[in-house]
Amino acid sequence: MSDDPRRPLRSRPRRNRKSPAVRDLCRETTLTVGNLVYPVFLHEADGDEPLSSLPGRTRYGLDGLVREATRVSALGIRSIVLFPAVPEDQKTSDGREAANPDGLVPRALRRLRAECPELTLITDVALDPYNSDGHDGIVADDGRILNDETVEVLCRQAVTQARAGADIIAPSDMMDGRVGAIRDALDADGHHEVSILSYTAKYASAFYGPFRGALDSAPKSGDKKTYQMDPGNAREALRELALDEAEGADMVMVKPAGPYLDVIRALRESTPLPVAAYQVSGEYLMIKAAAASGWLDERSVALESLLGIRRAGAEVIFTYFAPEVAEWLA
Ligand code: PBG
């Protein structure tokens, strides 16, 4: 058409890009702070400790946690998820500290509930911070991860968190049947209003490295491939989705996010439930490192990476950039 000198160019897509206002009218996907969940690390110590494995982020004592929650809430962040670094002497092979009503996470929940009542509080359900073997489940003598025995502890962990004030329980352990079992346990304890955000398609990913450094929670032996998904698989995510829907999940997650945009899209097209995605520590760190070297512009690349995750179909994004994004978008 454009080669033909007698026919003018009728379709000019650039007309829809001609000014900021027109581009605003035509934009298909937007990123708002309401889409974001901010992951926060806490520890037993009183003070706060900048994380060398996750530059820009900090491990907080309880006072520091409340201060940080108050700070980000004022920036417009509405939801946070808590990750505890548990002292070595509290870790056991059965991870029982996970269900201690006076443990670090329940104490943090009670303080946040009282001092930041406007925040939606999300908690992680898995044994790795509490397990002396560093696995998300209980490890048998022969190295197998025991599924059903683990689910029993996860149910007690979830009920403990709900009693302490969690709004949303997020099982990240990848044991079979845990969503239904946790739903039953929550309901039996009267927590019908507490939601379950399931890590539906959580991959055995090398991008979790900096997170495990932040919590000292790397597996002592073996890897997580018998419970986390194979990075080559996308159809399998739909099988996990069907199970989680049937078991009563309220939201479903894909993790990591950036390298798995096709999986986010597949879930988005297959379920009416809200889809979440976790931009994990390694994804954050790649952008941070490139920005620190002067190779990439942190703000534009971080915002573009998050917009891409939204465009793929995620409503909810867990990201360590959340406080910065709140400032950038303000
Ligand atoms: C473990 C858990 C992990 C992350 C969140 N929950 C690590 C793992 O599965 O080994 C990773 C988050 C990140 O890398 O930012 N239950």
Side-chain angles (χ1 to χ4, degrees), residues 6 11 55 122 161 167 208 268 302 324:
R6 291 158 306 175
S11 267
I122 306 179
Q161 294 172 348
D167 297 296
Y208 306 150
R268 177 62 294 144
E324 284 76 12

Side-chain angles (χ1 to χ4, degrees), residues 231-304:
N233 293 358
R235 285 194 306 270
E236 190 183 356
L238 298 177
R239 186 175 186 211
E240 290 282 3
L241 170 66
L243 290 168
D244 282 356
E245 286 184 309
E247 292 176 34
D250 298 287
M251 306 181 200
V252 292
M253 186 194 272
V254 175
K255 175 186 180 183
Y260 296 85
L261 296 178
D262 58 322
V263 182
I264 295 173
R265 169 53 61 92
L267 260 60
R268 177 62 294 144
E269 287 177 352
S270 308
T271 179
L273 295 176
V275 173
Y278 198 140
Q279 184 182 53
V280 302
S281 54
E283 300 178 72
Y284 169 83
L285 206 60
M286 288 196 303
I287 296 174
K288 278 284 186 193
S293 311
W295 286 331
L296 287 177
D297 179 60
E298 175 172 344
R299 171 182 169 148
S300 351
V301 172
L303 289 172
E304 187 176 331

Side-chain angles (χ1 to χ4, degrees), residues 116-130:
C116 306
E118 73 286 2
L119 275 181
T120 292
L121 303 177
I122 306 179
T123 48
D124 193 70
V125 164
L127 298 188
D128 51 317
Y130 308 96

Side-chain angles (χ1 to χ4, degrees), residues 116-250:
C116 306
E118 73 286 2
L119 275 181
T120 292
L121 303 177
I122 306 179
T123 48
D124 193 70
V125 164
L127 298 188
D128 51 317
Y130 308 96
N131 181 317
S132 42
D133 299 298
H135 277 285
D136 294 36
I138 298 171
V139 186
D141 291 340
D142 61 4
R144 282 177 310 128
I145 308 296
L146 300 175
N147 193 89
D148 300 10
E149 292 82 345
T150 299
V151 170
E152 281 177 35
V153 185
L154 299 176
C155 288
R156 292 207 298 277
Q157 179 181 22
V159 168
T160 303
Q161 294 172 348
R163 287 181 182 173
D167 297 296
I168 301 178
I169 304 283
S172 70
D173 55 285
M174 290 302 279
M175 295 301 118
D176 292 333
R178 91 280 206 212
V179 169
I182 290 171
R183 183 72 270 159
D184 289 348
L186 289 174
D187 290 350
D189 205 57
H191 305 288
H192 307 280
E193 78 294 352
V194 172
S195 324
I196 297 179
L197 189 170
S198 175
Y199 286 62
T200 295
K202 177 173 178 179
Y203 288 88
S205 171
F207 286 92
Y208 306 150
F211 174 97
R212 294 175 188 172
L215 293 187
D216 308 315
S217 66
K220 300 280 187 309
S221 68
D223 52 44
K224 299 193 173 186
K225 292 180 183 169
T226 69
Y227 46 106
Q228 298 181 348
M229 281 176 52
D230 189 317
N233 293 358
R235 285 194 306 270
E236 190 183 356
L238 298 177
R239 186 175 186 211
E240 290 282 3
L241 170 66
L243 290 168
D244 282 356
E245 286 184 309
E247 292 176 34
D250 298 287

Side-chain angles (χ1 to χ4, degrees), residues 4 23 44 58 61 78 111 119 170 179 201 222 224 248-249 303 305:
D4 183 345
R23 289 196 295 275
E44 283 286 358
T58 299
R78 327 268 309 257
R111 287 224 24 206
L119 275 181
V179 169
K224 299 193 173 186
L303 289 172
S305 70

